[in-house]
Amino acid sequence: MKRSSTLLPKVLPLCLGMLVSVPGLAQDSKLLARANTMADKLEPKVIEWRRDFHQYPELGNRETKTAEKIAAHLRKLGIEVETGVAHTGVVGVLKGGKPGPVVALRADIDGLPVTERTDVPFASRERSTYNGQEVGVMHACGHDTHIAMLMGAAEILAGMQKDLKGTVKFIFQPAEEGSPIGEEGGAALMVKEGVLDKGPKPEVIFGLHINSQTEVGTIKYTPGGTMASADIFRIKVKGKQSHGAYPWSGIDPIVTSAQIINGLQTIISRQTQLPEGAAIITVGSIHGGVRNNIIPEEVLMEGTIRALDVEMQKKLHEKIKLTATKIAESSGAVAEVEIIPQTPVTYNDPALTERMLPTLHTVAGRDKVVLAKAVTGAEDFAFYQEKIPGLFLFVGGMSKGKKPEEVAPHHTPDFLIDESGLKLGVKTLTSLTLNYMEGKSKK
């Protein structure tokens, strides 16, 4: 799929008129009304599911009990189920009673190695092992809500199966937050194992993420690059060990590393066209030496690279290698640079985004659908979008009247979600599916 090299396409038309005026998009108002009514009635059950998943979270590639609960629910609805995809993933297929496109819906299902500090009655007290360390486990990024919302959408869509104009593929994906060291996982492995190729092949995919700092009832979207790529870099600086009192007799990799760190920051501040999109190079760890008066032989630093544009991502990789190796060379040291690609740019197909925007206006209200700036967090939903057009949205999970700075951000022990925001997520997933199918059937 070809992508524009710019962060955002030209501003999408926000005044699109009536839904039927958008090419390829139409509404079956009776079916949508029915789906929304079902979502209202289903809300207590969705909240109950969410609390259960929250109380018993599991880490990436270890979500066995979570997967069992999901699979049991889908089977109960009469949906075809495949388990064990990408270790613990669950894929459900619902074939509608009428011909039409295949639409994929995705939710991530893993928790994080975070010890919960909230006082909700369903707080997690789970413990596990992560990369050899004992840790608390918590749904500190809202994946518990994502599971519950997609389970709700599955129940609604299964309840109108004979009226569906196409097929729905439900993808419950493990390890979005990353796999244990030495293991594959997440969306990359789901794609590798053929989730988009085997069985009915989806032509589009929709996903959403709840946000603790966005007010309940709000949907945020960004066409084009919406979340950053995330790559790891490792730089090993090799010098010559010597006594700290006689630095001229060696080559100091610590001083050289300091110069490299400063040089990496000038890639962003002086060599990157930031108006084209945000870019970040962060050194997160640096290790070298064992004693105060010994200049060590080598230093290892590691960090993350973020970009919102594919071409910019490539340039950052090249410049990191050039900067590190040449600065090291100027000091008589050697720098070995390794860049490990992790997650591509999460890229919302502009045409699909424009096409589905009226659906968002209908489900949330035009004033509650916000054109947002891209963020430098990463999402492995991007791997699906590399294969087929996709749309990834944010739904509000912050209580009304609160301010973003007053609530705990994601990946923290105090992370909380206002459960009244879940219903909008369910309605969004079902409405996107129904409207996309209806639009295709009208062509």
Side-chain angles (χ1 to χ4, degrees):
M1 181 171 60
K2 187 176 180 181
R3 296 182 177 182
S4 168
S5 62
T6 57
L7 169 63
L8 290 174
K10 300 300 182 182
V11 178
L12 292 173
L14 298 181
C15 300
L16 296 173
M18 299 299 292
L19 296 181
V20 293
S21 69
V22 181
L25 181 63
Q27 277 189 308
D28 184 330
S29 57
K30 290 183 179 180
L31 206 57
L32 284 173
R34 184 173 149 202
N36 287 336
T37 299
M38 292 172 71
D40 291 335
K41 293 180 179 178
L42 196 61
E43 183 182 20
K45 192 184 290 188
V46 172
I47 291 174
E48 182 182 342
W49 293 331
R50 180 261 165 161
R51 292 183 178 186
D52 180 63
F53 289 122
H54 187 89
Q55 190 167 4
Y56 303 106
E58 296 173 294
L59 295 174
N61 284 358
R62 306 289 186 270
E63 309 95 333
T64 52
K65 293 180 180 178
T66 301
E68 288 171 2
K69 294 173 185 177
I70 294 167
H73 175 70
L74 297 181
R75 290 191 182 105
K76 186 178 179 181
L77 298 174
I79 294 173
E80 297 175 19
V81 176
E82 181 183 3
T83 59
V85 183
H87 301 298
T88 50
V90 180
V91 177
V93 175
L94 177 65
K95 296 178 180 177
K98 300 176 182 180
V102 181
V103 175
L105 302 175
R106 175 270 204 171
D108 38 15
I109 68 174
D110 54 321
L112 283 160
V114 174
T115 301
E116 184 157 4
R117 203 161 52 200
T118 72
D119 59 359
V120 296
F122 50 91
S124 169
R125 298 294 179 257
E126 295 296 293
R127 306 286 297 177
S128 187
T129 301
Y130 180 73
N131 291 338
Q133 298 183 50
E134 185 182 348
V135 294
V137 186
M138 178 188 177
H139 272 297
C141 200
H143 295 188
D144 51 339
T145 70
H146 303 168
I147 305 168
M149 289 186 286
L150 188 53
M151 284 172 57
E155 185 157 329
I156 291 169
L157 294 169
M160 51 180 62
Q161 183 174 6
K162 65 182 180 64
D163 297 313
L164 285 184
K165 298 177 180 179
T167 296
V168 188
K169 199 166 199 176
F170 302 96
I171 299 173
F172 291 87
Q173 176 212 303
E176 188 279 327
E177 299 289 359
S179 304
I181 291 174
E183 296 182 17
E184 289 184 278
L189 188 56
M190 295 284 275
V191 172
K192 182 179 178 180
E193 292 189 0
V195 73
L196 300 180
D197 300 315
K198 295 178 182 177
K201 298 180 181 180
E203 60 181 62
V204 293
I205 185 166
F206 298 115
L208 52 78
H209 203 302
I210 204 153
N211 186 266
S212 69
Q213 295 172 303
T214 297
E215 189 174 84
V216 162
T218 303
I219 297 174
K220 289 185 175 181
Y221 75 99
T222 309
T226 184
M227 297 187 76
S229 60
D231 302 315
I232 294 171
F233 69 87
R234 294 192 181 108
I235 302 174
K236 183 181 288 186
V237 181
K238 295 183 175 182
K240 180 181 177 183
Q241 188 163 322
S242 66
H243 195 299
Y246 310 104
W248 52 84
S249 64
I251 298 172
D252 193 335
I254 291 179
V255 172
T256 303
S257 295
Q259 294 170 337
I260 289 173
I261 291 170
N262 286 333
L264 295 178
Q265 297 314 306
T266 65
I267 295 174
I268 300 299
S269 66
R270 290 295 180 269
Q271 302 175 52
T272 302
Q273 295 184 36
L274 295 179
E276 296 295 320
I280 293 171
I281 299 173
T282 294
V283 177
S285 72
I286 181 166
H287 301 277
V290 293
R291 185 178 166 88
N292 69 298
N293 64 347
I294 299 175
I295 294 173
E297 191 166 67
E298 65 180 40
V299 169
L300 176 66
M301 68 181 83
E302 297 179 306
T304 186
I305 310 163
R306 305 288 171 124
L308 285 159
D309 175 87
V310 175
E311 293 304 316
M312 186 181 291
Q313 179 188 16
K314 293 177 182 177
K315 289 179 182 178
L316 291 178
H317 290 186
E318 294 168 359
K319 288 180 180 295
I320 287 171
K321 292 176 181 177
L322 179 66
T323 299
T325 55
K326 292 304 180 182
I327 288 177
E329 184 181 328
S330 70
S331 301
V334 174
E336 297 176 353
V337 182
E338 179 185 15
I339 294 178
I340 306 165
Q342 291 272 282
T343 307
V345 176
T346 305
Y347 184 87
N348 283 338
D349 183 84
L352 180 63
T353 305
E354 182 175 356
R355 179 178 174 182
M356 303 315 299
L357 189 55
T359 300
L360 304 182
H361 288 160
T362 299
V363 75
R366 186 179 290 268
D367 62 327
K368 294 295 184 180
V369 178
V370 179
L371 176 62
K373 294 181 180 179
V375 297
T376 51
E379 236 292 345
D380 74 356
F381 187 81
F383 286 102
Y384 306 113
Q385 293 173 309
E386 283 192 320
K387 302 295 183 181
I388 58 175
L391 176 59
F392 191 75
L393 306 164
F394 291 91
V395 293
M398 180 180 70
S399 299
K400 292 184 178 180
K402 291 279 189 180
K403 296 179 181 179
E405 61 270 20
E406 297 174 343
V407 300
H410 292 240
H411 291 219
T412 64
D414 302 304
F415 175 78
L416 275 176
I417 287 296
D418 186 329
E419 295 171 326
S420 66
L422 273 60
K423 183 168 65 174
L424 176 60
V426 175
K427 291 182 176 181
T428 300
L429 291 171
T430 54
S431 296
L432 288 169
T433 302
L434 293 172
N435 274 357
Y436 185 85
M437 288 179 172
E438 183 69 19
K440 294 290 285 191
S441 72
K442 296 293 184 183
K443 279 193 172 183

